Amino acid sequence: MLFNSLSFLIFFPAAAAVYFIVPGKFKRLWLLAASYYFYMCWNVKHVILIVFSTAVSWMAGLLIQTFSDCGCPRVRKLTAAGSIFTIFSILFFYKYFDFAMHNVSLLLIKAGLPALEKPFDIALPAGISFYTFQTAGYIIDVYRKDIKAEKNLITYALFISFFPQLVAGPIERSKNLLGQIQKIGRPGAKLPGYNQTANGLILMLWGFFQKLVIADRIAVLADTVYDSWLTYGSVEIVFATAAFSIQIYCDFASYSIIAKGAAKVLGFELMDNFNTPYFSRSMREFWRRWHISLSTWFKDYLYIPLGGSRCGKLRWHFNTVLTFLVSGLWHGASWHYAVWGAVHGILQVIETEAEAFLRKTGKPKSGKQETFSFRFGQTARTYILTLFTLIFFRAQSMSQAIGCIQIIFTKFNPWAFTDGTLYSLGLDISEMNILMPALAVLLFVSLVKYIRNENLDVFLSRQCLWFRWLVIAGLFAGIFLYGIYGPEYDENQFLYFQF
């Protein structure tokens, strides 16, 4: 069930209405049932996987807590390791088994041996990467004694399967979401008030605007070029990559915003997953602002356990590159995703070494570094580097990524800016005239977030009533008049569903 589908527009109000009506002791059970129904709308059989991962991690948490209380550190460690290995084995089988088989076959062919035959087709279950990381994070939190193991299976199962963030995050931490779920139905627990509900609906509306008006529209341009990349020149490749940078941001941020809004309507607060990443002044800052739930997960559960920066310089840089390499493979079982992650890690190492060199040379810090021009230059540099890495992310293979880079540096065609070529990439002048004002709205909301650190709902709550309703009416009109939908519309699933 996609957020941008008619079925969700029926499901969510019904699920929320029943949640508000049923007695407190049944609220958790109802949300769990609604969450499993939401998940089963993709594939009924795959619900077995999330039930199994939930059961394994829940029992592991209880055992780890028990062994911790009775002073059995070795058994406690083995239990944590075994349970994490089990749930990641499921992820590996469904997401990486084909990838591993393919690469082993290539090695066998080079050695003059017959390739392995593919025994069966494996369909990637929706959201498996996200809920696997959430279950693993819970096990590690219990093992580290950051939280107590959850004894109530219904409460824990809802934490893993909470439908707004189940399929594409944000990857919630047990300290945040689990604690909120534990309060459901308790004496004194209150349902969300008018302001919280209204703010949640505003966030959902803004998310739908980003998805239907911007992401799905600009995707046509990026797909047109990358699907026939050999026929285009440098300008089209760069233009399409810039379009993809907007597409992937609006697509994934819209899901996170709709999820956050839906949760807020129900009375829950999810973490922010994006914080104006394209305004970053460095690649390190970019990853503090992009897919925050994933980057902090890797930091807390992989980078720091590897030693982080609390070790020698070579080991520190190795930890950085390895973390980003694994992050790349998390996004997809293909070498071009691995290279995308590794390049981000290498760029962070280069930034670190460059800053250390400048400090060592004793170059004084100029006051001009806080001027608009200097900050703009840093932001532009970071965005250009991000665009370069996105070529690996958007390409379907390493050969296509390398080919696109070669075209950029060898097949110059600056006349494409003036001869109308840019209007023949899937979006004509009328579509461009819709897209450009929508991007202006996106820029305004992003500036509000960047300057005032406020989401749209909080910003509007501080404004006059007429302005608030004017913005809401404008978003409704934009979605209704210019959204990509209709009888012949093929619902575009969110990009991160494939990860």
Side-chain angles (χ1 to χ4, degrees), residues 27-71:
K27 289 185 183 297
R28 266 178 282 191
L29 188 60
W30 167 251
L31 278 185
L32 180 62
S35 296
Y36 277 134
Y37 172 79
F38 178 84
Y39 190 72
M40 286 189 292
C41 286
W42 271 281
N43 189 315
V44 175
K45 296 178 181 178
H46 287 164
V47 76
I48 298 173
L49 299 176
I50 191 171
V51 169
F52 179 77
S53 294
T54 299
V56 168
S57 54
W58 177 68
M59 289 187 291
L62 293 177
L63 290 173
I64 292 169
Q65 185 75 59
T66 301
F67 294 137
S68 178
D69 294 341
C70 68

Side-chain angles (χ1 to χ4, degrees), residues 235-266:
V235 170
E236 292 94 335
I237 298 295
V238 172
F239 195 64
T241 306
F244 179 69
S245 73
I246 298 171
Q247 176 199 352
I248 192 172
Y249 169 70
C250 288
D251 193 283
F252 193 22
S254 67
Y255 185 94
S256 298
I257 291 170
I258 295 171
K260 185 177 178 66
K264 190 182 286 283
V265 170
L266 296 170

Side-chain angles (χ1 to χ4, degrees), residues 9-208:
L9 295 181
I10 297 172
F11 163 80
F12 179 68
V18 175
Y19 174 71
F20 294 146
I21 294 172
V22 297
K25 61 181 179 180
F26 296 115
K27 289 185 183 297
R28 266 178 282 191
L29 188 60
W30 167 251
L31 278 185
L32 180 62
S35 296
Y36 277 134
Y37 172 79
F38 178 84
Y39 190 72
M40 286 189 292
C41 286
W42 271 281
N43 189 315
V44 175
K45 296 178 181 178
H46 287 164
V47 76
I48 298 173
L49 299 176
I50 191 171
V51 169
F52 179 77
S53 294
T54 299
V56 168
S57 54
W58 177 68
M59 289 187 291
L62 293 177
L63 290 173
I64 292 169
Q65 185 75 59
T66 301
F67 294 137
S68 178
D69 294 341
C70 68
C72 303
R74 187 174 181 180
V75 182
R76 172 172 159 266
K77 183 179 292 187
L78 288 173
T79 302
S83 58
I84 290 175
F85 176 81
T86 301
I87 59 176
F88 272 106
S89 295
I90 300 172
L91 177 63
F92 175 84
F93 176 76
Y94 279 95
K95 191 169 184 176
Y96 301 102
F97 181 77
D98 281 350
F99 177 62
M101 288 274 292
H102 174 71
N103 284 279
V104 170
S105 293
L106 291 178
L107 292 175
L108 291 174
I109 292 172
K110 288 185 178 181
L113 300 172
L116 298 175
E117 293 185 7
K118 189 176 180 180
F120 36 71
D121 292 325
I122 302 174
L124 183 66
I128 188 170
S129 297
F130 290 88
Y131 69 71
T132 297
F133 270 39
Q134 195 151 310
T135 54
Y138 167 80
I139 294 171
I140 297 172
D141 286 344
V142 174
Y143 175 79
R144 292 175 173 175
K145 301 181 181 180
D146 292 335
I147 62 168
K148 292 283 187 179
E150 174 55 50
K151 296 180 180 180
N152 189 305
L153 179 57
I154 301 298
T155 298
Y156 179 72
L158 179 56
F159 163 66
I160 299 301
S161 63
F162 186 50
F163 74 85
Q165 49 87 225
L166 170 60
V167 179
I171 304 170
E172 275 293 340
R173 302 300 183 85
S174 49
K175 286 184 177 180
N176 180 35
L177 182 57
L178 183 58
Q180 296 180 64
I181 293 173
Q182 290 169 342
K183 296 177 182 178
I184 297 176
R186 287 183 177 178
K190 296 181 180 179
L191 291 174
Y194 169 80
N195 289 334
Q196 187 175 6
T197 302
N199 288 348
L201 293 174
I202 289 173
L203 285 179
M204 294 181 72
L205 190 63
W206 173 233
F208 284 124

Side-chain angles (χ1 to χ4, degrees), residues 191-346:
L191 291 174
Y194 169 80
N195 289 334
Q196 187 175 6
T197 302
N199 288 348
L201 293 174
I202 289 173
L203 285 179
M204 294 181 72
L205 190 63
W206 173 233
F208 284 124
F209 182 88
Q210 287 189 71
K211 172 62 176 173
L212 296 174
V213 181
I214 301 177
D216 287 354
R217 175 168 278 105
I218 206 168
V220 176
L221 193 157
D223 293 344
T224 298
V225 174
Y226 271 91
D227 288 347
S228 305
W229 59 280
L230 286 170
T231 64
Y232 294 105
S234 59
V235 170
E236 292 94 335
I237 298 295
V238 172
F239 195 64
T241 306
F244 179 69
S245 73
I246 298 171
Q247 176 199 352
I248 192 172
Y249 169 70
C250 288
D251 193 283
F252 193 22
S254 67
Y255 185 94
S256 298
I257 291 170
I258 295 171
K260 185 177 178 66
K264 190 182 286 283
V265 170
L266 296 170
F268 301 90
E269 288 291 338
L270 301 182
M271 67 183 298
D272 282 338
N273 215 12
F274 291 87
N275 184 8
T276 59
Y278 292 144
F279 290 162
S280 303
R281 297 169 62 182
S282 68
M283 298 305 294
R284 282 179 296 174
E285 183 182 355
F286 175 83
W287 278 102
R288 292 195 295 269
R289 295 173 175 272
W290 177 277
H291 201 170
I292 299 169
S293 65
L294 180 69
S295 59
T296 54
W297 195 99
F298 274 114
K299 176 185 175 183
D300 293 342
Y301 300 125
L302 179 60
Y303 176 72
I304 291 178
L306 285 173
S309 60
R310 306 181 310 276
C311 49
K313 181 179 290 187
L314 288 178
R315 178 59 186 270
W316 173 22
H317 294 335
F318 171 80
N319 293 342
T320 300
V321 176
L322 178 61
T323 300
F324 277 94
L325 176 64
V326 175
S327 173
L329 285 173
W330 178 90
H331 284 82
S334 180
W335 287 116
H336 63 95
Y337 287 117
V339 171
W340 169 78
V343 170
H344 268 280
I346 292 169

